[in-house]
Amino acid sequence: MAADSEWHLTRTFSSTSGDVRWDRLGPPGGPPVVLLHGTPFSSYVWRAVARSLAREYDVHVWDMPGYGSSEKAEGQDVSLAAQGRVLGELLAHWELTEPLVVAHDFGGAVALRAHLLHGARYRALALVDPVALAPWGSPFFRLVGAHADVFERLPPALHGALVREYVASASSPGLRPDVLDRLVEPWLDDTGQAAFYRQIAQADQRYTDEIQGRYGGIGIPTLVCWGEGDTWIPIAKGRELAALVPGARLEPIAGAGHLVQEDAPAQLTAALLAFLQRHR
């Protein structure tokens, strides 16, 4: 893993949905933690939290197929169903039988699907502003999903401006320009532009509808963290989710929007450390 000013995943795993870039931080003998990012993001959003956890945990980070530095290809399956399968493949590759799992946004649905449908076992699960309960998807998200072929043909400058505005709206206090540049960068070339609209086109609510009725059967310690200023998925959904999962606790994060990792990394890290230390 590179210096703090950079974030480069150095390892590759060939999954059923394409090559996945991943990396590992912290002591190999420490309790294993797996971090899952959301959409349209990458493991980059976890950099501060990952490095803090890596002081005592064996932290695994990865870019999902179709995201960040992982493979992006025409016809690629980047749906929630595919990502849930890939997570299972990675856990087997890493030989992790019962890791601690921390998942944000779309990654929350991926972690839940892998656990509830594919038998992935976790020691504990922390969900951060997850996509988990219907209905989800902003008006913009639904518009793009219905007309992805049109948006794919946008001139690069117009596409770039649209992606910047969309990503920026995930933060409550606002993103630093260099961070916004890095979050937007994977989507700006021809391959990235097609991949950006591909992941939205495949984001079907049925993939959470398939598991939503099973949340009452989750039997592992669960923490639900939520940015109080989240305009993508309001905190009311966090309260609803915490009430559905037996024993789950809601941890509101003040001053944070949907991208809690960027808006309030210290507060989020403290909440996660307290939870993980109880269940390591």
Side-chain angles (χ1 to χ4, degrees), residues 193-271:
Q193 180 167 344
F196 180 80
Y197 297 115
R198 183 182 305 119
Q199 49 94 7
I200 295 178
Q202 294 185 28
D204 195 317
Q205 187 178 289
R206 68 187 171 94
Y207 295 123
T208 56
D209 291 344
E210 289 174 357
I211 56 173
Q212 186 169 328
R214 304 189 184 199
Y215 296 161
I218 294 175
I220 54 175
T222 303
L223 174 70
V224 179
C225 296
W226 218 283
E228 290 184 341
D230 189 340
T231 59
W232 282 23
I233 314 176
I235 194 170
K237 287 291 185 186
R239 297 188 189 99
E240 184 182 348
L241 179 61
L244 288 173
V245 179
R249 181 172 60 84
L250 177 66
E251 180 86 29
I253 308 291
H258 188 68
L259 265 180
V260 187
Q261 304 97 319
E262 301 294 345
D263 292 353
Q267 296 93 314
L268 178 61
T269 299

Side-chain angles (χ1 to χ4, degrees), residues 13 15-17 62 65 77-92 110 113-114 118 207:
F13 170 72
S15 81
T16 52
S17 279
W62 59 297
D77 186 354
V78 295
S79 67
L80 280 167
Q83 307 291 3
R85 289 194 301 269
V86 170
L87 174 57
E89 295 168 16
L90 275 171
L91 294 177
V110 173
R113 284 184 64 89
H118 303 299
Y207 295 123

